[in-house]
Amino acid sequence: MKKLSKTLFEQLNNYMNTDARPLEKSIFNYYFNDSSGDDILDSLEAFQNTDGGFGKGIEPDFKLIKSSPMATSIGLRHLSKLDNSDRAQNMIAKAVEYLETTFDSNRNGWYSVPSIVNNYPHAPWWEFRNDINMTVIDYSWGNPTAELIGYVYKYKKYLNKLDIYSLRNYAITNLNKRTEFNSEHEIISYINMYNTLDEEFSSQIVDTLKLAVSKLVNINQCEWINYVPTPLKFINLDSKNFFGIESKFIDQNLDYLIDGLEENGKILPTWQWDKYLEAWKIAKIEWMGILTLEALLSLLKFNRI
């Protein structure tokens, strides 16, 4: 079993504190250098708009300044790990207010980004298409709606009008009627919802999530250099359920991350943009910080450092 060497970890410590964005830097230092969670909240506040939603490029593949449900899902993903503080709760309350305001009753959920996303540099899959009145991401109802339902359910005390119980039930039914699964991101969004639900309700989707993961996970290491859903994409730091992914494939994925860190001193993105190439140069650097942090948190979870 490979482990990340102390020497390489110190190099990565320097990398994360020098080259990563303040957000990823603060999260890294929270888990590895006993830093305060307030530093993470400071970084998150820079991405939260006055309407309570998140934007300002928190997701580096679209540089939309204004708020979007997709960016807000990322903000809440981080805040949910720090929600024992009044400051985080205040930020969460504002985000829930934004989500309640932007809820689309016809969709029974949220579209990922508004059309104004096209006015800012973005990856091709974030292009708002007028012919379908959404992005191609939005073909998958659950991305980010399932994850957002989970957070709104968890923080339902801040709601004024949204019927979160009906929404929760709709999301569960929507998943359980599926036999085909086309988007790993939608299933990851559902996994994030699963992690927020009471056991009474999370247990209702666990079998379908296992089926979905079994069909989507890519266990062919020779293909991991491409943009594919590797085993660890379905497992985050807080995961207790691995949805049927065998430990040998998790171990192979962990070894693969260590190999990549040894070779490059960071984790490189497996995708690129086809235009806005100057903005992509910056986004690529931001993604390297995000992906390297994700790798290190996976290694931490499985005691590989």
Side-chain angles (χ1 to χ4, degrees):
M1 180 185 293
K2 294 181 180 179
K3 286 202 173 188
L4 195 72
S5 70
K6 184 175 182 180
T7 300
L8 180 53
F9 176 79
E10 289 306 321
Q11 293 171 2
L12 288 161
N13 193 343
N14 180 67
Y15 167 76
M16 291 301 300
N17 279 285
T18 303
D19 291 9
R21 294 189 303 183
L23 176 56
E24 286 72 45
K25 172 183 173 181
S26 62
I27 296 170
F28 172 84
N29 285 326
Y30 178 79
Y31 284 103
F32 293 100
N33 292 322
D34 298 321
S35 180
S36 167
D38 284 334
D39 294 339
I40 302 176
L41 296 178
D42 287 343
S43 300
L44 285 170
E45 277 185 340
F47 292 107
Q48 190 168 30
N49 289 310
T50 54
D51 62 4
F54 284 77
K56 303 177 183 178
I58 191 171
E59 211 284 10
D61 273 348
F62 62 90
K63 296 300 184 180
L64 176 64
I65 293 174
K66 293 182 180 295
S67 300
S68 69
M70 181 62 74
T72 303
S73 73
I74 296 167
L76 283 169
R77 195 180 305 157
H78 293 305
L79 285 170
S80 66
K81 295 175 172 57
L82 300 162
D83 63 3
N84 57 347
S85 78
D86 291 342
R87 185 179 172 197
Q89 285 288 334
N90 184 49
M91 295 173 71
I92 290 167
K94 291 177 181 177
V96 170
E97 182 181 1
Y98 163 78
L99 291 171
E100 201 164 30
T101 302
T102 55
F103 179 77
D104 189 310
S105 56
N106 291 323
R107 184 171 175 80
N108 212 23
W110 292 266
Y111 288 96
S112 58
V113 292
S115 59
I116 198 174
V117 72
N118 290 354
N119 295 349
Y120 299 85
H122 57 276
W125 44 91
W126 289 115
E127 178 81 10
F128 189 93
R129 288 176 43 178
N130 292 321
D131 58 332
I132 57 175
N133 209 33
M134 61 183 185
T135 71
V136 294
I137 300 293
D138 294 302
Y139 280 126
S140 302
W141 174 85
N143 182 26
T145 289
E147 181 171 2
L148 289 174
I149 287 172
Y151 298 134
V152 174
Y153 179 74
K154 184 175 184 180
Y155 304 114
K156 53 187 173 287
K157 64 182 178 181
Y158 298 122
L159 286 172
N160 290 310
K161 56 185 178 182
L162 204 60
D163 184 356
I164 190 58
Y165 300 104
S166 294
L167 264 181
R168 176 203 62 203
N169 295 341
Y170 179 85
I172 290 171
T173 302
N174 180 284
L175 179 67
N176 283 340
K177 70 182 181 183
R178 311 269 191 93
T179 55
E180 294 185 3
F181 307 94
N182 300 313
S183 168
E184 68 266 24
H185 298 291
E186 182 177 37
I187 295 307
I188 291 167
S189 187
Y190 262 106
I191 288 172
N192 289 329
M193 184 186 87
Y194 168 93
N195 289 330
T196 66
L197 294 178
D198 314 310
E199 201 277 333
E200 175 188 356
F201 300 104
S202 63
S203 63
Q204 294 177 26
I205 58 174
V206 67
D207 288 341
T208 309
L209 286 175
K210 285 181 179 178
L211 176 63
V213 170
S214 72
K215 292 192 172 187
L216 288 167
V217 66
N218 188 310
I219 56 174
N220 298 316
Q221 185 170 330
C222 62
E223 297 179 16
W224 291 351
I225 194 171
N226 303 314
Y227 189 82
V228 297
T230 61
L232 288 170
K233 290 297 182 185
F234 300 98
I235 300 170
N236 60 39
L237 189 63
D238 304 317
S239 294
K240 297 180 178 66
N241 195 322
F242 300 162
F243 303 103
I245 300 175
E246 293 182 46
S247 58
K248 66 178 179 180
F249 298 124
I250 294 173
D251 284 336
Q252 287 172 10
N253 203 168
L254 292 164
D255 289 346
Y256 184 83
L257 291 178
I258 293 173
D259 290 341
L261 291 169
E262 288 176 345
E263 182 177 355
N264 300 305
K266 59 183 82 71
I267 299 295
L268 308 177
T270 54
W271 68 95
Q272 57 187 11
W273 298 4
D274 62 352
K275 55 182 180 178
Y276 307 109
L277 297 184
E278 288 302 311
W280 166 241
K281 289 179 183 177
I282 298 170
K284 182 178 181 180
I285 293 171
E286 294 172 335
W287 272 117
M288 288 189 290
I290 294 170
L291 296 171
T292 302
L293 174 64
E294 288 177 354
L296 288 167
L297 291 176
S298 291
L299 295 174
L300 176 68
K301 179 179 181 67
F302 290 98
N303 194 28
R304 293 292 207 101
I305 298 177

